[in-house]
Amino acid sequence: MLPFSSLHLQPPKPPLFAPSPDPLCLPPSKSLIFSPRIKPMTTTTLSLRLQSSCPSSTTKANPKTQTQNPSSYDLKIALIGFGNYGQFLAKTLISQGHTVLAHSRSDHSLAAKSLGVSFFLDPHDLCERHPDVILLCTSIISTEEVLKSFPLQRLKRNTLFVDVLSVKEFAKNLLLDVLPNDFDIICSHPMFGPQSAKHGWDGLYFVYENVRIGNEENRASRCKTFLEIFEREGCKMVEMSCQEHDKYAAESQFLTHTVGRVLEMLKLESTPINTKGYESLLDLVENTSGDSFDLYYGLFMYNRNVLEMLDRLDLAFEDLRKQLFGRLHEVVRKQLFGNAESRKVLHENYNKGHLNGAAALSSRSESVRFQGSARTYEYEAGNSSCSDDSSKLKIAIVGFGNFGQFLAKTFVQQGHTVLAYSRANYSDVAQKLGVSYFSNADDLCEQHPEVIVLCTSILSTEKIIKSLPFQRLKRSTLFVDVLSVKEFPRNLFLQHLPPHFDILCTHPMFGPESGKNGWNQLAFVFDKVRIGSEGSRVSRCNKFLDIFAREGCRMVEMSCAEHDWHAAGSQFITHTMGRVLEKLGLESTPINTKGYETLLNLVENTAGDSFDLYYGLFMYNVNAMEQLERLDLAFESLKDQLFGRLHGVLRKQLFGSSENPQELSEEPSVAKFSQNSAALVSSSSETLNAENN
């Protein structure tokens, strides 16, 4: 696949990109390393920086320790653009005692009155009030038009202009190009908005560059007073050049919005078995969905670093797909060209539904999936009393890696007898945990454990089950699995276990990382696939479930088919996004947004899991392929929206104003995605119905 940069030439530069004291078209350099320094901002240091492009520095002010001159905090600030963001800033400006004026193309006089802001429909009237500061709160796309139509001649000649756009090189060059030389300029970006800062601005980033500030003391003081508005609210003040900002923002802000918009197209919904990672993705969608497409398009159009980021994201997703399908191809080749027994296994796998592409849901699971009626309830601790020895179980853990050890700690703490067997030697670890370790499966089974808990990997489970000496176990032994897919182990158990063994399919929706601080309110999903009717067998099953209920788990009973349907949309999508982002080599920046922090945490949480686990989620969940295709369609649709809009802008430049790029709505692409997605689901449903029939 050719990179976007080779397919899409940079558009002709509009007039605002004309040569300026700090030209926009500097070649990007990946070798630049920016190290923000923590340094308090003072009047002295501010005046020394007035005419220079300053090295980035960071400070978080403590309003209580500052000596403040009350008169210096009385600014007359005019907001140009009084939509949601302008009103959001106005509340704080008013609360700090500043005089606030506002102008907007739409009539927001009622909103302004309720906030204590003087609203002007005519910009001439506003400018004749001679505000100290003009604060541009317009959209990225409309800023040039608004600024060029503004009656600058009616303002004082040393007025301070400040923008709050999400792209900075564009804003800086535009202000230098349009404003007279005697106007002061600060380019700023509050890295927050009404949604992310609804509980206050404390600890949130405010990025700024003093582009041009006059030498006079009153102008330096005015600049300092304006910046202190954000310091007093607890913002982390980060001074860096506009070029530095756009380099970091292409990764932190544009990437966050891109992932949020792709996931929004999937119409993700909360499920009964949400993981912490999936909850964070839902929060990301909620935080980015409130922003207009114009804002997102502005980030794409006016930050020269984002095309490379979009290209890298596309390549990362394509590389992950190649890994998955390459692994699948190896498995099929081995089965097709191996010995006769391998070909027989392949034929059986296709018939019995072990492979993702040929797995067929049972009539029961089919009806559950498409009716969407997940049968869940809260399992309450105390169904079996755990206060006496009769309530204790003898539990054998087969597969004593990280997850097996993780479960063993709690089993032992609750007083159960725990045995363990694994192909690798974990005897030392077992001894420390109070677990009896066996290197031979026959020896373990001869101990007659009441419960066998399979903590093997998805890929090795079938081999392990076939190798266990069932004849050495009691005939009513309870088998439990904890795999991340459920229909696959359910079918394995029903196929290979003798009919007098009990079966409980479970999935603790947490692990050593997400459950390190306890299991309270974490989901534990289970399906009583086959439990004997005798009271002792029912009681044993309840005792095992009670282990998790006593730890505070949210107990959710649902069929294996329901689980896999929900997990494909939550767990598989979460791991897919985490692995795609991991390939980008994301790093923390000096201007992280809350959304970007979410992505970094997601990468950290999923990077600890092996590729075998991820491949197992793909290979052994019948719904995973559909979700992967929907994710691919959503990403392609979003690119169509961006490049379609860009194409419209170029057409207007080439053919004049007869074609309006604003008419190139994103709706056709969204409709196309919806149709393709619906067709995919329909096709999948028809295939499954045909297989069932």
Side-chain angles (χ1 to χ4, degrees):
M1 176 183 295
L2 292 174
F4 296 140
S5 52
S6 65
L7 295 174
H8 302 279
L9 299 177
Q10 290 191 346
K13 297 174 183 176
L16 62 97
F17 291 109
S20 63
D22 186 10
L24 174 65
C25 48
L26 292 173
S29 173
K30 294 184 179 180
S31 63
L32 292 176
I33 300 178
F34 304 108
S35 303
R37 298 175 301 177
I38 300 176
K39 186 175 182 181
M41 185 182 69
T42 64
T43 306
T44 304
T45 57
L46 179 66
S47 61
L48 292 175
R49 299 184 191 134
L50 295 179
Q51 298 296 333
S52 64
S53 176
C54 316
S56 57
S57 61
T58 308
T59 177
K60 181 177 177 180
N62 184 351
K64 297 180 181 179
T65 62
Q66 291 182 4
T67 56
Q68 301 174 359
N69 178 5
S71 63
S72 68
Y73 287 91
D74 185 14
L75 289 174
K76 185 186 291 186
I77 302 173
L79 297 170
I80 308 303
F82 202 60
N84 289 338
Y85 199 80
Q87 295 173 32
F88 165 69
L89 292 181
K91 294 175 185 176
T92 298
L93 300 178
I94 290 291
S95 69
Q96 290 193 16
H98 300 285
T99 301
V100 181
L101 320 176
H103 160 70
S104 195
R105 288 177 293 183
S106 301
D107 187 357
H108 293 290
S109 54
L110 293 177
K113 184 177 181 181
S114 67
L115 295 173
V117 174
S118 301
F119 187 80
F120 299 87
L121 277 173
D122 190 331
H124 292 264
D125 295 336
L126 177 139
C127 291
E128 287 175 351
R129 296 298 184 97
H130 288 174
D132 303 300
V133 181
I134 298 288
L135 188 55
L136 291 171
C137 297
T138 52
S139 69
I140 300 173
I141 296 174
S142 66
T143 298
E144 183 176 7
E145 178 186 351
V146 170
L147 196 57
K148 288 184 175 180
S149 65
F150 204 67
L152 302 174
Q153 70 280 6
R154 299 196 181 279
L155 295 169
K156 285 185 177 179
R157 286 170 294 171
N158 66 355
T159 303
L160 170 61
F161 268 74
V162 183
D163 85 282
V164 291
L165 298 188
S166 301
V167 291
K168 297 268 59 81
E169 281 193 284
F170 163 71
K172 175 182 177 179
N173 288 332
L174 178 60
L175 291 170
L176 288 171
D177 183 49
V178 175
L179 296 181
N181 293 331
D182 46 13
F183 281 17
D184 290 347
I185 300 173
I186 296 178
C187 284
S188 77
H189 182 197
M191 304 290 292
F192 50 87
Q195 180 64 25
S196 56
K198 58 186 176 184
H199 301 302
W201 301 359
D202 186 54
L204 302 177
Y205 288 102
F206 181 86
V207 184
Y208 68 97
E209 179 183 0
N210 297 322
V211 176
R212 185 173 68 202
I213 306 296
N215 292 319
E216 295 88 339
E217 180 63 27
N218 65 323
R219 295 168 77 169
S221 177
R222 177 180 60 189
C223 173
K224 178 176 181 294
T225 299
F226 178 79
L227 294 175
E228 283 175 345
I229 293 172
F230 298 88
E231 284 188 280
R232 293 176 69 189
E233 297 298 320
C235 288
K236 293 181 180 178
M237 306 297 287
V238 181
E239 183 175 11
M240 64 168 52
S241 71
C242 292
Q243 181 186 7
E244 288 176 89
H245 169 279
D246 283 4
K247 174 183 178 294
Y248 288 126
E251 186 166 295
S252 64
Q253 194 178 22
F254 178 75
L255 181 61
T256 302
H257 276 263
T258 299
V259 172
R261 285 190 169 271
V262 168
L263 296 175
E264 184 184 5
M265 288 181 171
L266 297 181
K267 300 188 183 303
L268 301 182
E269 296 180 353
S270 183
T271 75
I273 57 173
N274 288 357
T275 60
K276 287 186 175 180
Y278 187 63
E279 290 283 359
S280 67
L281 291 186
L282 292 177
D283 291 340
L284 179 64
V285 172
E286 182 181 356
N287 289 336
T288 55
S289 62
D291 296 320
S292 67
F293 186 79
D294 277 356
L295 170 61
Y296 177 63
Y297 175 71
L299 296 174
F300 168 74
M301 183 70 174
Y302 295 104
N303 185 336
R304 61 194 175 100
N305 303 283
V306 302
L307 197 59
E308 177 188 348
M309 179 53 62
L310 195 63
D311 195 1
R312 289 176 60 208
L313 184 62
D314 187 61
L315 290 174
F317 184 61
E318 187 63 27
D319 186 55
L320 185 63
R321 285 171 58 91
K322 286 180 180 178
Q323 275 187 272
L324 286 174
F325 291 117
R327 184 81 170 266
L328 180 63
H329 183 250
E330 288 176 10
V331 172
V332 174
R333 277 180 59 87
K334 184 177 180 180
Q335 293 179 336
L336 285 175
F337 301 105
N339 55 35
E341 180 62 27
S342 295
R343 289 194 294 273
K344 180 181 177 183
V345 170
L346 176 66
H347 180 72
E348 290 175 353
N349 281 342
Y350 270 93
N351 287 338
K352 294 170 183 174
H354 294 178
L355 290 180
N356 180 71
L361 291 171
S362 66
S363 58
R364 169 174 171 243
S365 63
E366 181 71 15
S367 62
V368 167
R369 169 177 169 178
F370 292 105
Q371 289 171 6
S373 53
R375 180 172 52 90
T376 65
Y377 71 87
E378 296 296 325
Y379 181 92
E380 296 182 1
N383 284 352
S384 60
S385 172
C386 289
S387 60
D388 53 63
D389 291 339
S390 64
S391 67
K392 307 308 179 187
L393 294 170
K394 184 187 287 187
I395 304 172
I397 297 176
V398 177
F400 203 58
N402 289 337
F403 197 79
Q405 296 168 30
F406 170 67
L407 292 181
K409 292 176 185 177
T410 299
F411 293 170
V412 171
Q413 286 171 3
Q414 290 193 17
H416 301 285
T417 301
V418 182
L419 320 175
Y421 160 74
S422 196
R423 288 176 294 182
N425 187 1
Y426 291 107
S427 55
D428 291 341
V429 177
Q431 186 177 9
K432 292 178 182 178
L433 295 174
V435 173
S436 300
Y437 187 79
F438 297 84
S439 57
N440 185 287
D442 291 86
D443 294 338
L444 176 133
C445 291
E446 287 177 351
Q447 298 295 316
H448 288 176
E450 298 166 87
V451 183
I452 299 281
V453 180
L454 287 176
C455 294
T456 54
S457 70
I458 300 174
L459 301 183
S460 66
T461 298
E462 183 171 8
K463 180 179 179 181
I464 296 295
I465 289 178
K466 289 180 177 180
S467 69
L468 288 177
F470 300 134
Q471 73 279 5
R472 302 194 184 281
L473 295 168
K474 284 186 177 181
R475 287 170 296 170
S476 64
T477 304
L478 170 62
F479 269 75
V480 181
D481 85 284
V482 291
L483 298 188
S484 301
V485 293
K486 295 270 61 77
E487 284 196 282
F488 168 67
R490 175 181 180 272
N491 292 337
L492 275 182
F493 280 157
L494 290 173
Q495 177 188 1
H496 294 291
L497 293 184
H500 44 69
F501 281 11
D502 287 350
I503 299 172
L504 178 66
C505 286
T506 78
H507 183 196
M509 303 292 292
F510 50 88
E513 181 62 30
S514 56
K516 60 185 176 183
N517 298 318
W519 302 355
N520 190 46
Q521 287 305 305
L522 299 179
F524 181 86
V525 184
F526 64 97
D527 183 6
K528 298 176 181 178
V529 177
R530 185 173 67 201
I531 304 296
S533 58
E534 296 90 338
S536 60
R537 297 169 77 165
V538 173
S539 175
R540 178 182 58 191
C541 178
N542 288 337
K543 289 176 186 178
F544 181 80
L545 292 174
D546 200 49
I547 294 172
F548 298 88
R550 291 181 67 197
E551 296 297 319
C553 288
R554 183 164 51 86
M555 308 297 286
V556 182
E557 181 177 15
M558 62 168 55
S559 72
C560 292
E562 289 176 275
H563 169 279
D564 284 2
W565 172 246
H566 289 303
S570 59
Q571 193 181 24
F572 180 71
I573 287 292
T574 302
H575 276 263
T576 299
M577 292 311 306
R579 289 192 169 272
V580 168
L581 296 172
E582 183 186 6
K583 290 178 178 292
L584 297 179
L586 302 184
E587 296 180 353
S588 183
T589 75
I591 55 173
N592 289 357
T593 60
K594 284 188 174 181
Y596 188 62
E597 291 284 357
T598 297
L599 297 186
L600 292 177
N601 292 334
L602 177 64
V603 171
E604 182 180 358
N605 289 336
T606 55
D609 295 321
S610 66
F611 186 79
D612 276 356
L613 169 62
Y614 176 62
Y615 176 69
L617 295 175
F618 166 73
M619 183 73 168
Y620 296 104
N621 187 334
V622 68
N623 309 287
M625 178 73 81
E626 177 185 318
Q627 290 297 334
L628 191 66
E629 292 303 322
R630 292 186 69 236
L631 188 61
D632 187 35
L633 283 172
F635 188 40
E636 290 300 321
S637 177
L638 186 63
K639 289 187 294 185
D640 286 347
Q641 288 178 254
L642 287 174
F643 291 112
R645 185 103 174 239
L646 179 63
H647 182 248
V649 172
L650 291 175
R651 284 179 62 88
K652 183 177 180 182
Q653 291 179 345
L654 290 171
F655 302 109
S657 59
S658 58
E659 298 187 26
N660 186 358
Q662 296 296 331
E663 294 173 358
L664 294 171
S665 168
E666 61 270 21
E667 292 303 322
S669 294
V670 175
K672 179 181 177 182
F673 167 72
S674 299
Q675 292 168 2
N676 289 339
S677 179
L680 182 63
V681 175
S682 175
S683 174
S684 176
S685 303
E686 291 171 0
T687 301
L688 291 169
N689 285 330
E691 289 172 351
N692 286 333
N693 293 334

